Amino acid sequence: VIYVSERFEQWIPVTPDDGCWRIQPEWSPDGEKLAFLSVDATKPQATLEMQAMVVGLAPRADRGEAVGITPPGARSVDLAWDVNSQHVYHIVQRGSKYVLEIVKWPSLERTVAMEGPAMGLLSVAASTGDVVWLQQRSDEASDGRGADGRTWVLWKLSPGHRARETPVRLDFTPSLVSTISPDGKWISYRITRVEGNDTLFIVSVNPDIDSIYSFAFGNYLSFSEDGKWAAMRIGFSEKEMEKKKEKKQEIRYAVILVRLSDGKQEKFK
């Protein structure tokens, strides 16, 4: 269930408790709409498909039902609002083909921006309106060959211009737990290990910049709008968490702010 709150005074459910998983909630910049991905967990695992939903949250007294924007026969991969809160950039998959579409809200009129091999990791820069995303190359001649042998390029679409591509270097396979900075220069991902000893990594996608930062127990990362900073929560291992609960200790997380140009960090508790 997704809840929203005004000044933390009262939490209001905007989705029903119906057995569906709902992830990646994305606020529209005007604060009046919420987009998210949903999976009906009551269905057999082999048939689980990600669907994209949008729900209007204003005016407060007239909240509507969530509306699906995933086309029939497709599954949603990622989504992001444009800076004007009028369109949703939406990546869907049909078989082996991926489509980046621009969905107008609330009419649901669709414009196809790109079709091709695997795409994902959408991000929109609030200051410029640029949208960036990753796509697997259809050919194998690339400097961005990843650890799994696949190659990737970074696309950037600026308002009023054609999309431009840049080869990138990835030593991992992007997933739902990955995040790309609004300027398309940095990507974060997490590696989950036994006993909850997870590590969060931030890497430069520029082949000429050999920068990688790692953070034990890092989670909930967010990039700044200009792509120069990143912030994340630092948690605990499963063993540490169990000890704190046994001793009934207060669980207080830390937040780390890191400057990506040189890795300088500031920690808040």
Side-chain angles (χ1 to χ4, degrees), residues 113-128:
M114 177 175 289
E115 297 181 352
M119 290 185 275
L121 290 192
L122 279 167
S123 185
V124 178
S127 58
T128 62

Side-chain angles (χ1 to χ4, degrees), residues 5-219:
S5 175
E6 297 177 18
R7 300 179 182 177
F8 297 97
E9 295 174 354
Q10 181 181 4
W11 290 94
I12 303 169
V14 295
T15 60
D17 185 3
D18 55 6
C20 290
W21 300 333
R22 295 181 173 93
I23 60 174
Q24 286 187 242
E26 293 280 346
W27 282 104
S28 59
D30 62 11
E32 296 186 354
K33 298 170 284 289
L34 189 69
F36 55 91
L37 298 178
S38 178
V39 176
D40 187 351
T42 64
K43 294 182 179 180
Q45 186 170 1
T47 63
L48 294 182
E49 295 290 351
M50 199 83 72
Q51 303 293 306
M53 313 287 290
V54 176
V55 60
L57 301 177
R60 179 170 177 171
D62 189 29
R63 291 191 173 94
E65 295 289 332
V67 177
I69 64 172
T70 306
R75 76 174 188 92
S76 294
V77 177
D78 204 355
L79 50 77
W81 286 97
D82 73 344
V83 293
N84 298 315
S85 304
Q86 297 177 351
H87 299 85
V88 178
Y89 294 103
H90 182 212
I91 295 177
V92 298
Q93 178 187 5
R94 290 190 181 94
S96 60
K97 184 175 72 173
Y98 287 69
V99 178
L100 171 61
E101 59 179 19
I102 305 173
V103 184
K104 187 175 182 179
W105 179 262
S107 67
L108 302 188
E109 297 176 17
R110 302 171 189 272
T111 301
V112 174
M114 177 175 289
E115 297 181 352
M119 290 185 275
L121 290 192
L122 279 167
S123 185
V124 178
S127 58
T128 62
D130 293 347
V131 56
V132 295
W133 68 95
L134 286 177
Q135 182 183 39
Q136 181 186 341
R137 288 189 64 101
S138 56
D139 61 84
E140 296 302 322
S142 170
D143 294 331
R145 187 178 302 277
D148 59 359
R150 292 189 290 181
T151 61
W152 298 84
V153 292
L154 175 77
W155 286 94
K156 176 181 285 188
L157 177 63
S158 302
H161 295 81
R162 303 180 99 181
R164 306 184 304 275
E165 66 173 307
T166 303
V168 297
R169 179 199 63 199
L170 295 181
D171 295 325
F172 63 97
T173 301
S175 68
L176 281 175
V177 296
S178 304
T179 306
I180 190 168
S181 62
D183 61 0
K185 295 181 179 180
W186 300 90
I187 294 179
S188 74
Y189 66 99
R190 290 176 63 220
I191 292 180
T192 302
R193 297 185 173 91
V194 179
E195 296 184 349
N197 295 329
D198 303 344
T199 302
L200 185 146
F201 296 89
I202 303 175
V203 298
S204 170
V205 299
N206 187 338
D208 298 325
I209 300 177
D210 189 21
S211 293
I212 180 168
Y213 306 117
S214 62
F215 304 88
F217 315 118
N219 206 347

